[in-house]
Amino acid sequence: MPDLDPFFSEWSGRTAGSTRSLERARELMRALDLDGDRPPVLGVVGSKGKGTTATTAAAALSSAGLRTVLATGPSFRSYRERVRLDGTSVTGEVLDALGARIDRARRSLPAPAESGGYLAPSGLFLVAALLHARDAGADVCVLEAGMGGYRDELRLIGPEVVALGAVFAEHMGILGDTVAEIAREKTRVAGERTRSLVRLPQTPEVAAAVDAALAEATGGRVRAEIADPQAPGTEPPARLRPPGLSAASGVLGTAAAARMLEYLGRGPLEPDRLHAVLRTLRLPARLSRHPVPGADGAEVIVDSAIDRVGVATALAHARAAWGRVDHVLLCLPDHKDVSGAVAVLGDLPVTMVRLPEAHLRFEYAPPAHWGRVDAADLSPARVAALGDRVLALGTVYFTGRMTEVLDAPTDRLFD
């Protein structure tokens, strides 16, 4: 895409101390006639696994014959991936046109300083998805929230169905000072339009916070439904769930899609059609396996693991797939669970990867036998030199770069 200014101009020009303005986002939606005229929305929130939940929900809805727009973030190889129709990224021309329409509407608003803050890029991509859904005559939208819930543009849009993934101490001190406060923030994406909220099993503390926040947000109309991956007969069957920790997100996305079909007055998910679509599901950077370009037989498994449990799960998956792991590329900024990853990886050969993003810190002192490399210096040849079986783990900023290094297909998520 030649010009991303419409999506990032206000964020990049923000002043010290300024914050995103939901009121400004509301005014923008009014200017674009999106405050009422839009397809039904399935919104996805949670601390981890939102992208998998949203993608699985979109695939399930598409299996029911619905024309489905999906918005997820962040992207892997291109910002076009932030908006998809029936699983496929929009073209650069389409995203350019959407950005131009947003920019015209944005320029009709008062200056950001008068609105109390700026338009956040993540919210603008949700707006672009709604515009594209209207243009394409979509039946439904699946929209992944950014970091939060109540303070996210998704709340302004007002999802009819909410899928709430696992909630834990991610973004502590930003979304809340306790896990219960974070759960409350994410649950309150629900509102006047919401008719269903489906969640994964939570700790008693989080479950209580979710129930209280949901009752407050919906006036007691909506009670949370639990999508339990361990319950007998739960869709999809284990063989069609995403691998590793993403399996639960696949169950949640399917359950939320079923509730959206009920809301639309459509029949239940038809298992044969659902399973046929889920067999085609591709989830980049969620234990995805890729050949190394130009290196015969060399492979990389890429996963966005950010803590001890995720790293252990990815390592076990790689060993089961390959029988061994020759080397690990690890990219965890200091605010992630670096010490947990160190404990899990033990004596394996590991190279720590640094990203150039100014807001990320990489000052943790790794074990003496670990190497270091800048992400910009990674290439297929350099990855292949580490061995034939390389495990690449870390923040989504890094795993997205790995899909570029490996020339991994990311434009189509399901057929």
Side-chain angles (χ1 to χ4, degrees), residues 154-200:
L154 182 58
R155 176 176 65 85
L156 302 182
I157 293 167
E160 281 78 9
V161 175
V162 175
L164 174 64
V167 179
F168 50 84
E170 182 79 350
H171 305 301
M172 187 77 79
I174 300 174
L175 300 181
D177 294 328
T178 67
V179 177
E181 289 179 3
I182 293 172
R184 174 178 169 79
E185 155 74 22
K186 292 181 181 295
T187 303
R188 290 199 303 154
V189 75
E192 184 178 319
R193 294 181 188 242
T194 304
R195 295 297 176 266
S196 298
L197 183 144
V198 188
R199 67 169 176 85
L200 288 177

Side-chain angles (χ1 to χ4, degrees), residues 18 33 42 50-51 94 99 120 125 179 223 229 270 310 320 349 353 367 373 413:
S18 64
D33 295 323
L42 190 164
K50 296 191 298 292
V94 167
F125 281 112
V179 177
R223 288 180 172 271
E270 203 283 310
V353 182
V373 67
L413 298 182

Side-chain angles (χ1 to χ4, degrees), residues 204-223:
E205 175 191 27
V206 168
V210 168
D211 289 343
L214 182 60
E216 176 186 334
T218 65
R221 289 183 297 99
V222 179
R223 288 180 172 271

Side-chain angles (χ1 to χ4, degrees), residues 85-261:
L85 177 62
D86 293 332
T88 300
S89 305
V90 297
T91 64
E93 292 76 16
V94 167
L95 193 58
D96 275 339
L98 292 170
R101 289 163 63 188
I102 289 171
D103 199 43
R104 285 194 296 273
R106 180 183 70 83
R107 293 177 184 277
S108 72
L109 304 179
E114 298 176 44
S115 298
Y118 58 85
L119 293 169
S122 60
L124 292 178
F125 281 112
L126 295 187
V127 170
L130 290 177
L131 284 175
H132 188 56
R134 192 166 64 187
D135 294 346
D139 300 299
V140 65
C141 290
V142 180
L143 306 180
E144 177 189 344
M147 182 192 305
Y150 184 77
R151 288 169 284 184
D152 193 274
E153 288 79 2
L154 182 58
R155 176 176 65 85
L156 302 182
I157 293 167
E160 281 78 9
V161 175
V162 175
L164 174 64
V167 179
F168 50 84
E170 182 79 350
H171 305 301
M172 187 77 79
I174 300 174
L175 300 181
D177 294 328
T178 67
V179 177
E181 289 179 3
I182 293 172
R184 174 178 169 79
E185 155 74 22
K186 292 181 181 295
T187 303
R188 290 199 303 154
V189 75
E192 184 178 319
R193 294 181 188 242
T194 304
R195 295 297 176 266
S196 298
L197 183 144
V198 188
R199 67 169 176 85
L200 288 177
Q202 311 282 351
T203 65
E205 175 191 27
V206 168
V210 168
D211 289 343
L214 182 60
E216 176 186 334
T218 65
R221 289 183 297 99
V222 179
R223 288 180 172 271
E225 174 188 346
I226 301 173
D228 185 357
Q230 304 302 319
T234 299
E235 287 283 7
R239 70 182 185 279
L240 293 177
R241 297 176 188 179
L245 299 178
S246 295
S249 297
V251 170
L252 177 61
T254 303
R259 294 300 160 265
M260 177 56 82
L261 288 175

